[in-house]
Amino acid sequence: MKHGPLGHSKHFLGPVLAMSPIMLPIEIVSNLARLLSLTVRLWVNMLVSETLYILFLGLMLELSIFLEHLNKAGYVGLIVPLIGPIPFILLHIFVAVLQAFVFTILPVIYVAGAVAEEH
């Protein structure tokens, strides 16, 4: 804000004006890659977390069906799908809190680097 849009865009040209034709595309790709990197990281982390939860929930359901067909005492195994997902839900909550922290800190670092005064 202090230098205005023109002053900020000079940052993309690099320290030496003769290198600006090389530095401009590199700086633009670098800034766009940060945005893409954050987006892909968050998407993949959410996808893997949900996939693991669904996978283990399905395995627990299959285990309970197997135990049910084993004999009458196998009905005790029906409690597995009720109690089994609890550790995965707790892990999912922990990962969500950790991701919220990381994906709050990273943009702050990127913005701080963009507005910092160079000495």
Side-chain angles (χ1 to χ4, degrees), residues 10-112:
K10 284 188 349 187
H11 150 75
F12 288 100
L13 299 178
V16 179
L17 195 58
M19 292 179 57
S20 62
I22 297 171
M23 291 298 292
L24 182 64
I26 291 173
E27 287 292 327
I28 289 174
V29 168
S30 170
N31 284 319
L32 291 176
R34 287 179 181 169
L35 178 62
L36 182 65
S37 170
L38 284 174
T39 305
V40 169
R41 279 189 215 165
L42 183 58
W43 175 72
V44 168
N45 286 332
M46 289 171 42
L47 178 74
V48 167
S49 181
E50 290 296 322
T51 303
L52 283 175
Y53 177 70
I54 290 171
L55 175 75
F56 280 103
L57 184 62
L59 288 173
M60 286 178 224
L61 287 172
E62 287 297 321
L63 176 65
S64 70
I65 291 170
F66 173 74
L67 291 175
E68 177 185 332
H69 290 291
L70 215 56
N71 57 19
K72 297 297 179 195
Y75 285 110
V76 176
L78 292 177
I79 196 115
V80 171
L82 299 175
I83 296 176
I86 292 174
F88 293 103
I89 292 171
L90 294 175
L91 179 66
H92 194 65
I93 291 171
F94 171 72
V95 169
V97 169
L98 188 65
Q99 302 239 353
F101 175 73
V102 168
F103 289 103
T104 302
I105 294 298
L106 283 176
V108 168
I109 291 171
Y110 292 156
V111 170

